[in-house]
Amino acid sequence: MPTSEELKARIEAAIPGSHAEVEDLTGGGDHFRARIVAQAFAGLSRIEQHRRVYDVFGADIGGPIHALSLQTRVEQE
Amino acid sequence: MTDLSPNQDQSVRQAIESAIAENEVILFMKGTPDDPKCGFSARCVATLQALESPFAAVDILPDPRLRQELSAISNWPTIPQLFVRGELIGGCDIITELYESGELAEVLGVQTPPEAPAMVAPGLDTAAPIEITNRLS
């Protein structure tokens, strides 16, 4: 069962320079919310920013991770 | 994986593509607008209704190929998905953000009703065994 810490680590490893806060919404290890700030999001539309994060998890989304709610933001210098 | 012929998958994909092309605003969701089966789908329906925007809805639950083919077309892994004039606008998070910033009304070409309520916190899955008619037609 995935944990918030695991999701945070996977996001931060896959998106260089990103900072993620991940909450397990139910405590059940399957519904998460993540807030991610990254310079890598600069120039990307919201859709593209979210896709970038979803891509980190591939088929785990809809599998072990039933729901991952996202808020993405471009890091300001 | 399944015993479906490629032709059948092709027809599912074509049906989805036609539905997206033919409906200016279309929401792919779990359950129906009157009976959503997931908190995120429910929230998107409530958002569109708050803006009094007419929309078509497709329940993806009756046939797993719907979800598979939809995600293949849109390159988006989760449900719900909102399309406006043939373009993916986003899932629940983006729809909520756009609503709160006022951009969703612009995208939809509707006025924000003055009494538009703030969106409530997302509900969580209330999945239950169900049988639903395919509303793709």
Side-chain angles (χ1 to χ4, degrees), chain B residues 60-87:
Chain B
I60 56 94
L61 289 174
D63 185 337
R65 292 174 305 171
L66 283 171
R67 178 173 184 160
Q68 254 168 40
E69 291 297 314
L70 175 63
S71 287
I73 290 168
S74 61
N75 186 24
W76 192 260
T78 55
I79 304 293
Q81 297 184 21
L82 178 70
F83 289 79
V84 178
R85 290 181 290 279
E87 195 184 326

Short mmCIF file of all heavy atoms in Angstrom, two decimals, chain B residues 60-87:
data_model
loop_
_atom_site.label_atom_id
_atom_site.label_comp_id
_atom_site.label_asym_id
_atom_site.label_seq_id
_atom_site.Cartn_x
_atom_site.Cartn_y
_atom_site.Cartn_z
N ILE B 60 -18.85 6.18 -17.77
CA ILE B 60 -17.84 5.25 -18.28
C ILE B 60 -17.87 3.91 -17.55
O ILE B 60 -17.13 2.99 -17.91
CB ILE B 60 -16.41 5.85 -18.19
CG1 ILE B 60 -16.05 6.28 -16.78
CG2 ILE B 60 -16.28 7.05 -19.12
CD1 ILE B 60 -15.32 5.25 -15.98
N LEU B 61 -18.68 3.79 -16.52
CA LEU B 61 -18.64 2.56 -15.72
C LEU B 61 -19.18 1.30 -16.41
O LEU B 61 -18.67 0.21 -16.16
CB LEU B 61 -19.40 2.77 -14.39
CG LEU B 61 -18.70 3.69 -13.38
CD1 LEU B 61 -19.61 3.93 -12.19
CD2 LEU B 61 -17.39 3.08 -12.92
N PRO B 62 -20.19 1.42 -17.28
CA PRO B 62 -20.79 0.18 -17.78
C PRO B 62 -19.85 -0.68 -18.62
O PRO B 62 -20.05 -1.88 -18.71
CB PRO B 62 -21.96 0.66 -18.65
CG PRO B 62 -22.25 2.04 -18.19
CD PRO B 62 -20.94 2.60 -17.71
N ASP B 63 -18.83 -0.06 -19.22
CA ASP B 63 -17.98 -0.83 -20.12
C ASP B 63 -16.54 -0.40 -19.90
O ASP B 63 -16.18 0.74 -20.17
CB ASP B 63 -18.40 -0.54 -21.57
CG ASP B 63 -17.63 -1.41 -22.57
OD1 ASP B 63 -16.53 -1.89 -22.22
OD2 ASP B 63 -18.15 -1.58 -23.67
N PRO B 64 -15.67 -1.28 -19.39
CA PRO B 64 -14.29 -0.89 -19.08
C PRO B 64 -13.54 -0.36 -20.29
O PRO B 64 -12.57 0.38 -20.15
CB PRO B 64 -13.65 -2.19 -18.57
CG PRO B 64 -14.63 -3.28 -18.80
CD PRO B 64 -15.97 -2.67 -19.05
N ARG B 65 -13.98 -0.74 -21.50
CA ARG B 65 -13.30 -0.24 -22.70
C ARG B 65 -13.47 1.26 -22.84
O ARG B 65 -12.62 1.94 -23.41
CB ARG B 65 -13.85 -0.92 -23.95
CG ARG B 65 -13.51 -2.40 -24.03
CD ARG B 65 -14.20 -3.05 -25.21
NE ARG B 65 -15.64 -2.82 -25.15
CZ ARG B 65 -16.48 -3.12 -26.13
NH1 ARG B 65 -16.04 -3.61 -27.26
NH2 ARG B 65 -17.78 -2.89 -26.00
N LEU B 66 -14.57 1.80 -22.30
CA LEU B 66 -14.79 3.24 -22.40
C LEU B 66 -13.67 4.00 -21.71
O LEU B 66 -13.12 4.94 -22.25
CB LEU B 66 -16.14 3.61 -21.76
CG LEU B 66 -17.39 3.31 -22.58
CD1 LEU B 66 -18.64 3.52 -21.73
CD2 LEU B 66 -17.43 4.19 -23.81
N ARG B 67 -13.37 3.57 -20.50
CA ARG B 67 -12.33 4.25 -19.75
C ARG B 67 -10.97 4.08 -20.42
O ARG B 67 -10.19 5.03 -20.56
CB ARG B 67 -12.28 3.73 -18.32
CG ARG B 67 -11.19 4.40 -17.55
CD ARG B 67 -11.18 4.06 -16.11
NE ARG B 67 -10.13 4.85 -15.49
CZ ARG B 67 -10.06 5.11 -14.21
NH1 ARG B 67 -10.98 4.66 -13.41
NH2 ARG B 67 -9.08 5.83 -13.73
N GLN B 68 -10.70 2.84 -20.83
CA GLN B 68 -9.43 2.54 -21.49
C GLN B 68 -9.21 3.40 -22.73
O GLN B 68 -8.17 4.02 -22.90
CB GLN B 68 -9.45 1.09 -21.97
CG GLN B 68 -8.61 0.14 -21.18
CD GLN B 68 -8.94 -1.30 -21.56
OE1 GLN B 68 -9.15 -1.61 -22.74
NE2 GLN B 68 -9.03 -2.16 -20.58
N GLU B 69 -10.21 3.40 -23.59
CA GLU B 69 -10.08 4.11 -24.86
C GLU B 69 -10.07 5.62 -24.63
O GLU B 69 -9.35 6.35 -25.29
CB GLU B 69 -11.20 3.71 -25.82
CG GLU B 69 -11.09 2.29 -26.32
CD GLU B 69 -9.82 2.06 -27.13
OE1 GLU B 69 -9.50 2.90 -27.99
OE2 GLU B 69 -9.13 1.05 -26.89
N LEU B 70 -10.90 6.09 -23.68
CA LEU B 70 -10.93 7.52 -23.39
C LEU B 70 -9.55 7.99 -22.94
O LEU B 70 -9.02 9.00 -23.42
CB LEU B 70 -11.98 7.82 -22.32
CG LEU B 70 -12.03 9.26 -21.83
CD1 LEU B 70 -12.41 10.21 -22.97
CD2 LEU B 70 -12.99 9.42 -20.66
N SER B 71 -8.95 7.25 -21.99
CA SER B 71 -7.64 7.66 -21.49
C SER B 71 -6.58 7.58 -22.58
O SER B 71 -5.64 8.37 -22.61
CB SER B 71 -7.25 6.82 -20.27
OG SER B 71 -8.03 7.22 -19.16
N ALA B 72 -6.74 6.62 -23.50
CA ALA B 72 -5.80 6.52 -24.61
C ALA B 72 -5.93 7.73 -25.53
O ALA B 72 -4.93 8.28 -26.01
CB ALA B 72 -6.06 5.23 -25.39
N ILE B 73 -7.15 8.18 -25.75
CA ILE B 73 -7.39 9.34 -26.62
C ILE B 73 -6.88 10.62 -25.96
O ILE B 73 -6.24 11.45 -26.58
CB ILE B 73 -8.90 9.49 -26.92
CG1 ILE B 73 -9.40 8.35 -27.83
CG2 ILE B 73 -9.21 10.84 -27.55
CD1 ILE B 73 -10.92 8.27 -27.92
N SER B 74 -7.19 10.77 -24.66
CA SER B 74 -6.95 12.05 -24.00
C SER B 74 -5.57 12.13 -23.35
O SER B 74 -5.15 13.21 -22.96
CB SER B 74 -8.02 12.28 -22.93
OG SER B 74 -7.95 11.26 -21.95
N ASN B 75 -4.90 10.98 -23.19
CA ASN B 75 -3.65 10.95 -22.45
C ASN B 75 -3.85 11.53 -21.04
O ASN B 75 -3.08 12.34 -20.56
CB ASN B 75 -2.55 11.71 -23.22
CG ASN B 75 -1.19 11.59 -22.56
OD1 ASN B 75 -0.93 10.64 -21.83
ND2 ASN B 75 -0.32 12.57 -22.80
N TRP B 76 -4.92 11.09 -20.42
CA TRP B 76 -5.26 11.56 -19.07
C TRP B 76 -5.78 10.35 -18.29
O TRP B 76 -6.70 9.68 -18.76
CB TRP B 76 -6.36 12.63 -19.18
CG TRP B 76 -6.60 13.40 -17.92
CD1 TRP B 76 -7.59 13.20 -17.02
CD2 TRP B 76 -5.83 14.49 -17.43
NE1 TRP B 76 -7.49 14.10 -16.00
CE2 TRP B 76 -6.42 14.90 -16.22
CE3 TRP B 76 -4.68 15.15 -17.89
CZ2 TRP B 76 -5.91 15.95 -15.46
CZ3 TRP B 76 -4.18 16.20 -17.14
CH2 TRP B 76 -4.79 16.59 -15.94
N PRO B 77 -5.18 10.05 -17.12
CA PRO B 77 -5.46 8.75 -16.52
C PRO B 77 -6.72 8.65 -15.68
O PRO B 77 -7.15 7.54 -15.37
CB PRO B 77 -4.22 8.53 -15.63
CG PRO B 77 -3.80 9.92 -15.25
CD PRO B 77 -4.14 10.80 -16.42
N THR B 78 -7.29 9.77 -15.29
CA THR B 78 -8.34 9.69 -14.29
C THR B 78 -9.69 10.16 -14.84
O THR B 78 -9.77 10.80 -15.89
CB THR B 78 -7.99 10.56 -13.06
OG1 THR B 78 -7.73 11.90 -13.50
CG2 THR B 78 -6.77 10.03 -12.35
N ILE B 79 -10.74 9.83 -14.13
CA ILE B 79 -12.10 10.24 -14.42
C ILE B 79 -12.55 11.10 -13.25
O ILE B 79 -12.22 10.75 -12.11
CB ILE B 79 -13.03 8.99 -14.53
CG1 ILE B 79 -12.48 8.01 -15.57
CG2 ILE B 79 -14.47 9.38 -14.79
CD1 ILE B 79 -12.52 8.51 -17.00
N PRO B 80 -13.27 12.16 -13.42
CA PRO B 80 -13.90 12.66 -14.64
C PRO B 80 -12.94 13.39 -15.59
O PRO B 80 -11.83 13.75 -15.20
CB PRO B 80 -14.94 13.64 -14.09
CG PRO B 80 -14.34 14.14 -12.81
CD PRO B 80 -13.63 12.96 -12.23
N GLN B 81 -13.42 13.60 -16.81
CA GLN B 81 -12.71 14.41 -17.80
C GLN B 81 -13.73 15.29 -18.51
O GLN B 81 -14.75 14.82 -18.98
CB GLN B 81 -12.04 13.50 -18.86
CG GLN B 81 -10.97 12.59 -18.27
CD GLN B 81 -10.25 11.78 -19.35
OE1 GLN B 81 -10.25 12.14 -20.52
NE2 GLN B 81 -9.64 10.67 -18.93
N LEU B 82 -13.40 16.57 -18.56
CA LEU B 82 -14.29 17.53 -19.21
C LEU B 82 -13.67 18.00 -20.54
O LEU B 82 -12.52 18.43 -20.56
CB LEU B 82 -14.53 18.75 -18.31
CG LEU B 82 -15.41 19.85 -18.91
CD1 LEU B 82 -16.86 19.39 -19.01
CD2 LEU B 82 -15.33 21.13 -18.07
N PHE B 83 -14.46 17.89 -21.59
CA PHE B 83 -14.04 18.38 -22.90
C PHE B 83 -14.94 19.54 -23.30
O PHE B 83 -16.15 19.47 -23.14
CB PHE B 83 -14.16 17.29 -23.98
CG PHE B 83 -13.15 16.19 -23.84
CD1 PHE B 83 -13.32 15.20 -22.91
CD2 PHE B 83 -12.04 16.16 -24.67
CE1 PHE B 83 -12.39 14.17 -22.79
CE2 PHE B 83 -11.11 15.14 -24.57
CZ PHE B 83 -11.28 14.15 -23.63
N VAL B 84 -14.32 20.60 -23.82
CA VAL B 84 -15.09 21.71 -24.37
C VAL B 84 -14.59 21.96 -25.78
O VAL B 84 -13.38 22.12 -26.00
CB VAL B 84 -14.93 22.98 -23.51
CG1 VAL B 84 -15.69 24.15 -24.13
CG2 VAL B 84 -15.43 22.73 -22.09
N ARG B 85 -15.53 21.96 -26.71
CA ARG B 85 -15.21 22.12 -28.14
C ARG B 85 -14.04 21.22 -28.57
O ARG B 85 -13.09 21.65 -29.21
CB ARG B 85 -14.92 23.59 -28.47
CG ARG B 85 -16.18 24.46 -28.38
CD ARG B 85 -15.92 25.91 -28.74
NE ARG B 85 -15.13 26.59 -27.72
CZ ARG B 85 -15.62 27.09 -26.60
NH1 ARG B 85 -16.91 27.02 -26.36
NH2 ARG B 85 -14.84 27.67 -25.72
N GLY B 86 -14.14 19.97 -28.15
CA GLY B 86 -13.20 18.98 -28.62
C GLY B 86 -11.89 18.91 -27.87
O GLY B 86 -11.04 18.08 -28.16
N GLU B 87 -11.71 19.80 -26.89
CA GLU B 87 -10.42 19.86 -26.19
C GLU B 87 -10.57 19.46 -24.73
O GLU B 87 -11.52 19.88 -24.06
CB GLU B 87 -9.89 21.29 -26.29
CG GLU B 87 -8.43 21.41 -25.95
CD GLU B 87 -7.99 22.87 -25.96
OE1 GLU B 87 -8.52 23.64 -26.78
OE2 GLU B 87 -7.14 23.22 -25.13
#
